[in-house]
């Protein structure tokens, strides 16, 4: 189980420093100032890998795997998910469950990266346009780094992972942390100048609570309509300008500040 010192602090860099011109210049070019990406189910389709590993643990322990259990794990912090697996009969510690399942998913991604439709292309288009990006995921750093190594070069500047924060999604801390880190790199940036991309309700709630306009791209589960986000059926065919327009429709440029962090941005030790 990674500790804060091994995982790195929130905003662990994985690419070059962002060189964006700031919110005003980005807006003039019909671009978002920064894009904050969820990972599992949004950039890569790792949910089948997670489910296969989790199901094996439950069934090996004599428990019953159900669709309801699978759905309850989507988008959640890994320590929360591990406790749900314990309730389903898995007789391992929280850290052991996380290590076991994450090792299975890392191996699966290394065999073949399961890109979600349009995600890789949109990452590349944003990088070519000079729009900085970051990964905001409840997966832990070892898996996030593997995915970050596979995205188009320069499309992600840093990671905020589940083992780098105290409160996981749906708490605003992951996205509020990402905004704070990005704001140190992009002059004048606020939460409302960014746009997040998410596939799960906990992720949507986290981004919205942090004041970040968010695009919902449903995958495993349908997502409710809500004025705090805009729903797209897919990222395929979408452009950086589409993200900018969605952010404006959702209230970008209103000057809203990121939600205050409760308890600081330390590392979680499940």
């Amino acid at each position: 189980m990674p500790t804060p010192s091994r995982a790195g602090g929130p905003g662990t860099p994985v690419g070059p420093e962002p060189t964006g011109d700031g919110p005003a210049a980005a807006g003039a070019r019909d671009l978002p100032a920064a894009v904050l990406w969820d990972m599992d189910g949004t950039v890569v389709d790792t949910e089948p890998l997670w489910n296969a590993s989790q199901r094996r643990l439950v069934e090996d322990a004599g428990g019953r795997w159900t669709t309801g259990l699978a759905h309850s794990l989507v988008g959640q912090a890994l320590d929360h998910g591990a406790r749900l697996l314990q309730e389903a009969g898995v007789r391992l510690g929280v850290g052991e469950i996380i290590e076991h399942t994450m090792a299975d998913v890392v191996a699966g991604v290394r065999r073949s990266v399961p890109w979600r439709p349009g995600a890789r292309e949109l990452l590349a288009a944003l990088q070519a346009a000079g729009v900085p990006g970051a990964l905001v995921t409840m997966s832990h750093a070892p898996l996030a780094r593997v995915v970050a190594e596979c995205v188009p070069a320069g499309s992600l500047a840093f990671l905020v992972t589940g083992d780098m924060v105290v409160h996981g999604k749906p708490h605003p801390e992951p996205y509020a942390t990402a905004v704070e880190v990005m704001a140190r790199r992009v002059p004048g940036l606020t939460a409302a100048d960014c746009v997040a991309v998410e596939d799960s309700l906990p992720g949507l709630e986290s981004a919205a609570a942090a004041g970040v306009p968010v695009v919902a791209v449903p995958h495993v589960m349908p997502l409710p309509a809500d004025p705090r986000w805009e729903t797209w059926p897919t990222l395929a065919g979408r452009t950086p300008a589409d993200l900018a327009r969605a952010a404006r429709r959702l209230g970008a440029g209103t000057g809203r500040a990121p939600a205050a962090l409760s308890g600081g941005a330390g590392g979680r030790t499940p």
Side-chain angles (χ1 to χ4, degrees), residues 10 57 88 116 155:
L57 284 180
R116 291 286 292 136
S155 58

Side-chain angles (χ1 to χ4, degrees), residues 4 8-10 160 164-167 173 176-177 180-181 261-268:
V160 176
M164 296 176 185
V165 295
V166 176
H167 305 286
E173 184 186 344
T177 299
E180 290 182 5
V181 174
L261 298 186
S262 171
R268 180 196 295 110

Side-chain angles (χ1 to χ4, degrees), residues 90-115:
V90 177
R91 292 181 292 275
L92 294 173
V94 167
E96 292 175 298
I97 292 171
I98 292 172
E99 288 182 355
H100 179 93
T101 54
M102 190 164 57
D104 285 347
V105 177
V106 166
V109 172
R110 288 195 184 280
R111 285 193 298 271
S112 176
V113 182
W115 297 106

Side-chain angles (χ1 to χ4, degrees), residues 47-97:
E47 298 299 345
L49 297 173
W50 284 109
N51 280 179
S53 181
Q54 293 158 342
R55 180 171 187 162
R56 281 194 298 271
L57 284 180
V58 170
E59 293 181 344
D60 286 351
R64 188 167 71 92
W65 180 260
T66 66
T67 300
L69 176 57
H71 286 177
S72 73
L73 296 165
V74 175
Q76 297 286 354
L78 296 189
D79 56 340
H80 176 77
R83 286 190 287 272
L84 293 178
L85 293 177
Q86 288 177 327
E87 292 173 8
V90 177
R91 292 181 292 275
L92 294 173
V94 167
E96 292 175 298
I97 292 171

Side-chain angles (χ1 to χ4, degrees), residues 196-254:
V197 186
E198 273 282 355
D199 78 305
S200 73
L201 187 56
L204 292 169
E205 295 282 1
S206 176
V212 180
V214 56
V215 170
V217 187
H219 177 35
V220 173
M221 298 168 60
L223 298 171
D226 192 293
R228 295 174 297 167
W229 51 77
E230 180 168 310
T231 302
W232 295 353
T234 179
L235 292 176
R238 291 292 186 170
T239 68
D242 290 330
L243 286 173
R245 292 167 195 147
R248 284 200 298 274
R249 286 191 291 267
L250 291 163
T254 62

